[in-house]
Amino acid sequence: MNKKLGYTIALVAALAAPFFMYPVFLMKLLCFALFACAFNLLIGFTGLLSFGHAAFFGGAGYITGHLLKNVGLPFELGIIGGVVVAAFFGLVMGLLAIRRQGIYFTMITLALAQMLYFIFLQAPFTGGEDGLQGVPRGRLLGMVDLGDDLTLYYVVLAIAVAGFALIVRTVHSPFGQVLAAVKENEPRAISLGYDASRFKLLAFVLSAALSGLAGATKTVVLGFETLTDVHWSMSGLVVLMTLVGGLGTLAGPVVGAIIIIALENKIGDMGNWLASLTSVEWFRSIGESVTIVTGLIFIIVVLAFRRGIVGELIAFTRRVGAR
């Protein structure tokens, strides 16, 4: 009951948010929140640490941008194309990495993701270091003009809510219970007759597809795609979002994504404001110090809040209830 109430309040707040905040920034938050939730499905509920999820996020963005700009497909098919390619990347990467465990699994995903990074760097349709620019938003179902920020915001919100609902349904399904069993004790799950490798592969592909959905949507929102989204640092960023918010919690990655993305934008805005106020261009470099701030947050969370923000709140609520 409390979860349903919390989800309802969050949805109402999201519906009202574009009337008080910049819609494009909110859409960016939604995309990264979905990306973090998709990653959390793998690490938080399956126990697999992938360091190559940027390949799905940015790869789907490139494919969707190419389909919309150069091929001329409608909005829906462009998004679906990006998701399908991300799922295919996840299938190939999963088949190669899923039978390894621990650091070996992580390093294989990182190596394969870096291979895709160099492919996108050299591919002619990506624009190389300049990125893929001028991606059109198009129309929804051929009727609704997505050029309006407010209209696109509610479309993106619907996509994010649908993705989150799919993750919640997956976690609470029999399939999700098997994933939890594999995470807790894989040998025991195998002894009970479950094909652990197959279940982990399915979770990996689903996580890749949802990450691709987030990346494809982000490309439509911003109108461009760059190599930043396929670089290994993006994989590190989504790990940070998940850990800060709360590993293994449903709402934690959303909170972590909001904190990290909002922090990046606020520090950059503060530097630009100080530069314009004082005419000292050095202040613009303050935006680069966001990595120091996020690093400090990561250290504090690891040392003092091992469960993340939402995880600690849940633990505190349970302790109070027990008393």
Side-chain angles (χ1 to χ4, degrees):
M1 188 66 179
N2 291 334
K3 288 185 178 180
K4 292 183 178 179
L5 179 61
Y7 289 151
T8 301
I9 294 174
L11 181 59
V12 171
L15 290 171
F19 297 102
F20 303 95
M21 300 178 66
Y22 187 40
V24 174
F25 173 69
L26 293 173
M27 287 186 279
K28 184 179 177 181
L29 285 181
L30 289 173
C31 293
F32 275 102
L34 179 58
F35 182 31
C37 288
F39 177 76
N40 185 51
L41 176 64
L42 191 66
I43 185 175
F45 296 100
T46 313
L48 297 175
L49 173 57
S50 167
F51 215 71
H53 260 51
F56 315 133
F57 183 72
Y62 271 121
I63 297 300
T64 295
H66 173 67
L67 293 176
L68 293 178
K69 178 182 178 181
N70 300 324
V71 181
L73 292 183
F75 169 80
E76 303 84 2
L77 294 181
I79 295 289
I80 293 173
V83 173
V84 169
V85 169
F88 175 74
F89 286 163
L91 177 62
V92 174
M93 190 179 295
L95 288 172
L96 294 173
I98 210 70
R99 296 188 182 277
R100 300 293 180 266
Q101 296 181 351
I103 189 64
Y104 301 103
F105 172 84
T106 303
M107 289 297 100
I108 290 174
T109 58
L110 173 61
L112 293 173
Q114 283 302 99
M115 289 174 61
L116 287 173
Y117 169 83
F118 286 107
I119 290 175
F120 284 118
L121 176 63
Q122 300 295 331
F125 71 91
T126 64
E129 294 182 353
D130 295 329
L132 182 63
Q133 308 289 334
V135 177
R137 290 181 174 179
R139 292 177 174 271
L140 179 63
L141 302 176
M143 298 179 292
V144 181
D145 184 14
L146 298 178
D148 179 63
D149 288 342
L150 190 60
T151 302
L152 182 60
Y153 170 80
Y154 287 111
V155 173
V156 173
L157 177 61
I159 292 173
V161 170
F164 183 77
L166 177 60
I167 292 173
V168 173
R169 181 68 186 92
T170 300
V171 169
H172 291 101
S173 68
F175 173 71
Q177 298 304 309
V178 175
L179 294 181
V182 171
K183 176 188 175 184
E184 293 299 325
N185 194 327
E186 184 173 338
R188 184 178 180 182
I190 295 174
S191 69
L192 293 174
Y194 295 108
D195 187 346
S197 296
R198 183 167 62 91
F199 279 95
K200 290 193 292 185
L201 179 60
L202 289 173
F204 194 90
V205 173
L206 178 58
S207 178
L210 289 170
S211 298
L213 177 61
T217 306
K218 175 179 172 290
T219 298
V220 176
V221 169
L222 300 182
F224 62 85
E225 182 59 84
T226 64
L227 291 171
T228 302
D229 287 345
V230 290
H231 193 257
W232 66 266
S233 59
M234 182 59 69
S235 297
L237 187 64
V238 74
V239 173
L240 178 62
M241 293 176 186
T242 307
L243 292 179
V244 169
L247 184 68
T249 63
L250 290 170
V254 177
V255 174
I258 292 174
I259 291 174
I260 299 301
I261 299 302
L263 186 64
E264 286 186 345
N265 282 269
K266 289 301 179 183
I267 290 180
D269 292 343
M270 182 181 69
N272 292 330
W273 176 74
L274 289 173
S276 62
L277 187 67
T278 62
S279 299
V280 178
E281 290 299 313
W282 176 83
F283 282 115
R284 298 191 188 277
S285 64
I286 289 179
E288 300 174 2
S289 66
V290 67
T291 55
I292 299 176
V293 178
T294 54
L296 289 174
I297 291 176
F298 177 74
I299 293 172
I300 292 171
V301 168
V302 169
L303 293 178
F305 306 98
R306 297 291 296 274
R307 301 183 184 91
I309 295 173
V310 174
E312 290 293 341
L313 288 176
I314 293 175
F316 175 76
T317 303
R318 290 174 177 173
R319 287 196 300 267
V320 172
R323 292 174 184 175

